[in-house]
Amino acid sequence: MTEFRAPAAELARFRLRVVVAAVFVLVCFGLLAARFHHLQVKRHDYFLTRAEDNRIALLPVVPHRGTIVDRRGVVLARNYATYTIEITPSQVRNLDATLDELAGLLPLDARDRRRFRKLYEESRNFESVPLRSRLTDEEVARVVSQRYRLPGVDVKARLLRDYPQGSTASHVIGYIGRVTERDVERIEEAGNAANYRGTLHMGKAGLEQSYEHELHGTTGFEQVEVNAGGRAVRALSHTAATPGNDLELTLDIELQKVAEKAFGDRRGALVAIEPSTGGVLALASMPTYDPNLFVDGISTQDWKALNDSPDHPMLHRAIYSTYPPGSTFKPFMALAGLETGKRTAKQAMYDVGYFQFGGHRFMDDKIGGHGMVDLHKSIVVSCNTYYYQLANDLGIEGIAGFMAPFGFGERTGIDLPGEATGVLPSPEWKRNRFKKPEQQRWFAGETISVGIGQGYNAYTPLQLANALAALVNQGKLFRPHVVKYVVDSRTGERRAVEPEPLRQIPLRDAHLKAVLDAMVDVNRTGTGKRAFKGAPYTVGGKTGTAQVFSLRGQRYVEGRVRERLRDHSWFVAYAPAENPRIALAVLVENGGFGAQSAAPIARQVIDYYLLDQRAGAPAAEDEEGAESEEGAESGGDALPASRIVEPALPLEAPPAPVPSRPATPPAAVPAPQPAAARSAR
């Protein structure tokens, strides 16, 4: 029997299916419309930016770095144009083949290739990557003539850093070097990543580092339309870079040259300061180095020569290395005695040739002593016994409390990186310095050595020069600075770096005059008289000799001691004495007595600064002055031949490292040490 479906039921079911299908289609279209609305309307700006980023590339325009000139406008650091061969990876089919082709046209060593690979990995596809700089005209011609078969290879003119004075003042100026991964991390942490896009070099030392924010400038940008393959199609807009600001220094480069030449091949440091402003006139660290070696990446051979040299030419001795000050400490000790009431200018003591303390004798530099010694004579003849007694009377707390305002044992705040703190010894310092309780205790015998500038005393030449500048400036201490003006690259406006007084040290005029008068007589009749014989100006100063190691009771024989174990030579001076325009500290490592090596260097520098007289050769060591008869007011800074005996202990130990900390700590109550006596002359 055939079954017939009801037409009405079938029609109802069909209509239901049509409605369901229509609803489904409408829902789908609704979802699509909602999605389209979300993408095209709500997120329109986001996707437009993404699309523009794919279409438009921002190429950095690296700013010109600011120049550095001395106080007279002599250029110390500048930029110069040079040809550079560069490769745009997006336009090169086979990079290795292209490099091989170029190697046939001009010299390419392994270092060039390694550097290019590193930069290539860090760059974007459409940015050009430098392969080699400083192309000669002949090399440029070779590459340009073959460009038709070297797509993506260009010869561009770029600016490189140049230091026209070579090694002169290199520790002050510093150098630039390639930006490293560590540099990138620091830049990103400081939020300056955008301003360093495209920058390949930045300051690594000296003023180039400390004034990087002024010298670098502001990076510009160029908008370039690129295709899907990452190739540039056309330039859309250009925002020019702002060049870095220029620096005008307080430094006198000719005075710097005189100072460096005066050292010859000796190691040491010289700091010359204008007392009334704190401006640094000269800041020499010897030996020096050529900063041009670092501009485009120093070679392994050059770096090895600098790094392995026993003379450590990269070490900024003037602000980083610390040394015992020797007798240059005595004028400050004398002033401490006057200011605290422990001494008067006329008060005298009888020097028998030693100071007895705790069953031990601290020897003077003259057998039999200097007889009756007052404050004036103690400075002129550099009498140790006077300062042994004075140190004992002041106590270590008294010494430390008086010396601290002069800046001993603290950073001066000079506008250069890498300054050391130094050591102004005190019981508190010793507790913080040592871990074992038996080492933390301060012994009274240690105070005696501190009084003649030995013991734990350790200061940079900069600290000593700045303290002297404050002494001759009626107690007004300035923060030393090297930069005098920052010159705006756009407007030419000169922004002065104002002298910054740190403190006014309260000193009585009569006390100050007593000390300064004695320092003038040091160079008239005392230990520095030979160096300044015939000088047409009045100069105050003080010689000093600092021991490198302890002789442990043995006698010092310079000729039998290894050169790098000999005493350091110190000399501090200011001139003209009536109205000081320059205050300086000179250190010659292992140079012997203060009058022997350091004082002749100071004479050449002051002669040039005050008289414009330039010496034709390095300052000669005053051997006769070093061997002059001891005991008279005209001598006193030398160890006479009659006292020199061969040491019983061998002195062929390995040389000490470059000084950056105090000499070997003294014993609790040291045995008699002639080394300490000679160190204070």
Side-chain angles (χ1 to χ4, degrees):
M1 181 176 180
T2 303
E3 181 181 356
F4 295 96
R5 296 182 181 179
E10 288 293 329
L11 181 60
R13 284 195 295 269
F14 173 75
R15 288 175 177 173
L16 179 61
R17 287 196 295 269
V18 170
V19 170
V20 171
V23 171
F24 177 75
V25 171
L26 288 174
V27 170
C28 289
F29 275 103
L31 291 174
L32 287 174
R35 182 60 177 167
F36 286 149
H37 180 270
H38 177 75
L39 296 176
Q40 298 288 349
V41 178
K42 289 187 175 181
R43 304 201 66 189
H44 173 269
D45 293 339
Y46 170 76
F47 285 106
L48 179 62
T49 303
R50 291 288 300 272
E52 288 297 312
D53 285 345
N54 291 332
R55 184 180 72 89
I56 300 174
L58 289 178
L59 296 181
V61 180
V62 180
H64 294 176
R65 194 172 181 84
T67 60
I68 303 175
V69 300
D70 83 334
R71 67 192 297 128
R72 293 189 173 92
V74 179
V75 177
L76 308 180
R78 65 185 178 188
N79 306 306
Y80 73 98
T82 183
Y83 289 113
T84 301
I85 187 168
E86 302 189 10
I87 299 176
T88 306
S90 63
Q91 300 176 7
V92 177
R93 295 178 181 176
N94 189 323
L95 191 57
D96 291 330
T98 300
L99 291 174
D100 292 338
E101 286 274 356
L102 288 171
L105 297 175
L106 70 166
L108 286 180
D109 56 27
R111 187 168 68 100
D112 292 327
R113 290 180 179 248
R114 286 196 304 268
R115 187 174 57 207
F116 173 80
R117 290 288 183 184
K118 184 175 184 298
L119 295 174
Y120 167 65
E121 293 171 359
E122 297 171 353
S123 69
R124 293 193 289 180
N125 200 35
F126 50 81
E127 293 179 343
S128 62
V129 181
L131 175 62
R132 230 202 75 187
S133 302
R134 298 189 179 92
L135 300 180
T136 65
D137 292 341
E138 182 181 349
E139 290 171 340
V140 170
R142 284 198 215 122
V143 175
V144 171
S145 65
Q146 299 296 319
R147 279 188 61 191
Y148 69 93
R149 61 187 184 88
L150 295 170
V153 177
D154 289 307
V155 175
K156 296 183 178 180
R158 282 186 178 261
L159 292 177
L160 288 184
R161 201 65 162 168
D162 176 47
Y163 302 98
Q165 304 300 325
S167 61
T168 303
S170 61
H171 293 93
V172 180
I173 302 166
Y175 57 87
I176 65 170
R178 289 193 171 273
V179 177
T180 64
E181 293 181 3
R182 188 175 179 182
D183 293 328
V184 172
E185 292 176 0
R186 286 197 294 262
I187 290 170
E188 290 176 347
E189 289 175 0
N192 293 329
N195 197 36
Y196 276 83
R197 276 194 57 194
T199 299
L200 301 178
H201 302 85
M202 66 183 300
K204 298 288 187 176
L207 293 172
E208 293 277 27
Q209 179 183 351
S210 58
Y211 281 85
E212 171 68 22
H213 61 291
E214 296 283 0
L215 293 166
H216 178 263
T218 304
T219 299
F221 292 94
E222 184 177 17
Q223 284 189 330
V224 179
E225 186 177 359
V226 296
N227 59 22
R231 298 190 179 188
V233 177
R234 61 191 175 103
L236 300 177
S237 66
H238 181 85
T239 301
T242 303
N245 295 330
D246 300 332
L247 302 180
E248 292 183 15
L249 310 185
T250 62
L251 203 73
D252 184 335
I253 196 62
E254 292 303 319
L255 183 68
Q256 180 82 16
K257 289 178 181 178
V258 169
E260 293 184 5
K261 183 177 181 179
F263 273 89
D265 59 358
R266 289 168 288 191
R267 303 176 306 279
L270 178 146
V271 182
I273 294 177
E274 191 175 50
S276 60
T277 65
V280 176
L281 302 170
L283 193 66
S285 290
M286 300 300 292
T288 185
Y289 64 92
D290 187 355
N292 290 296
L293 297 173
F294 293 87
V295 171
D296 206 30
I298 189 169
S299 68
T300 303
Q301 182 179 1
D302 288 336
W303 174 247
K304 183 176 177 61
L306 291 173
N307 201 42
D308 294 348
S309 170
D311 292 333
H312 303 284
M314 297 294 294
L315 183 66
H316 196 173
R317 288 169 164 83
I319 70 171
Y320 177 74
S321 294
T322 60
Y323 310 83
S327 278
T328 60
F329 202 57
K330 289 177 180 176
F332 299 95
M333 285 289 297
L335 191 59
L338 294 174
E339 288 290 325
T340 59
K342 297 293 184 180
R343 294 291 185 275
T344 65
K346 297 300 182 182
Q347 183 178 349
M349 60 163 286
Y350 191 80
D351 173 22
V352 296
Y354 60 85
F355 175 69
Q356 191 82 17
F357 182 84
H360 297 275
R361 286 185 175 183
F362 291 83
M363 304 302 296
D364 193 69
D365 58 311
K366 179 185 178 184
I367 293 178
H370 293 88
M372 294 301 297
V373 179
D374 60 7
L375 182 141
H376 186 92
K377 184 177 179 181
S378 73
I379 294 176
V380 173
V381 302
S382 202
C383 173
N384 286 341
T385 306
Y386 184 94
Y387 292 96
Y388 291 145
Q389 178 68 62
L390 178 58
N392 186 55
D393 292 345
L394 286 170
I396 190 60
E397 295 282 11
I399 296 173
F402 183 81
M403 298 300 173
F406 284 93
F408 288 112
E410 68 176 12
R411 294 184 178 91
T412 65
I414 190 172
D415 48 351
L416 288 171
E419 184 183 6
T421 304
V423 175
L424 176 60
S426 68
E428 180 183 3
W429 168 83
K430 198 176 184 186
R431 286 192 297 269
N432 295 331
R433 171 64 177 82
F434 296 102
K435 296 181 179 180
K436 297 180 179 179
E438 61 271 20
Q439 295 176 317
Q440 293 177 333
R441 179 185 172 191
W442 186 271
F443 296 95
E446 294 173 319
T447 305
I448 311 303
S449 295
V450 170
I452 62 166
Q454 285 292 160
Y456 291 108
N457 278 309
Y459 311 116
T460 65
L462 174 63
Q463 287 175 334
L464 194 55
N466 205 41
L468 177 66
L471 188 69
V472 303
N473 196 36
Q474 306 299 313
K476 192 171 185 178
L477 181 72
F478 283 94
R479 186 186 306 281
H481 61 280
V482 179
V483 175
K484 190 174 185 179
Y485 293 102
V486 177
V487 184
D488 191 292
S489 60
R490 294 168 296 178
T491 65
E493 179 185 355
R494 301 165 79 215
R495 186 173 75 249
V497 177
E498 298 294 341
E500 183 182 349
L502 296 178
R503 63 184 69 94
Q504 176 66 54
I505 306 169
L507 301 172
R508 297 182 185 178
D509 292 341
H511 296 164
L512 196 57
K513 184 178 185 302
V515 172
L516 296 181
D517 286 349
M519 294 181 73
V520 169
D521 278 351
V522 165
N523 296 323
R524 284 176 174 166
T525 61
T527 56
K529 75 165 189 174
R530 290 181 55 84
F532 285 90
K533 183 178 181 180
Y537 49 83
T538 306
V539 56
K542 184 69 190 78
T543 55
T545 313
Q547 69 181 49
V548 174
F549 73 107
S550 174
L551 286 174
R552 299 180 182 178
Q554 305 304 311
R555 292 292 185 185
Y556 176 76
V557 187
E558 182 175 300
R560 297 183 180 273
V561 178
R562 291 181 60 178
E563 189 269 337
R564 292 179 187 271
L565 294 179
R566 295 173 186 170
D567 294 340
H568 296 321
S569 177
W570 276 105
F571 191 79
V572 296
Y574 60 94
E578 303 81 11
N579 182 26
R581 292 163 46 200
I582 183 173
L584 56 85
V586 184
L587 169 87
V588 180
E589 286 185 6
N590 313 116
F593 305 113
Q596 178 180 354
S597 299
I601 293 175
R603 172 67 187 270
Q604 285 195 4
V605 171
I606 297 176
D607 277 355
Y608 175 79
Y609 189 70
L610 297 183
L611 309 175
D612 201 26
Q613 294 180 359
R614 191 187 297 263
E621 291 191 356
D622 187 4
E623 298 291 348
E624 186 175 347
E627 297 172 358
S628 62
E629 184 179 357
E630 182 184 19
E633 289 191 6
S634 60
D637 198 45
L639 196 63
S642 61
R643 287 184 56 199
I644 299 177
V645 297
E646 184 176 354
L649 296 178
L651 298 179
E652 294 301 318
V658 175
S660 58
R661 58 179 183 271
T664 305
V669 181
Q673 290 192 13
R678 64 183 167 80
S679 70
R681 288 187 296 278

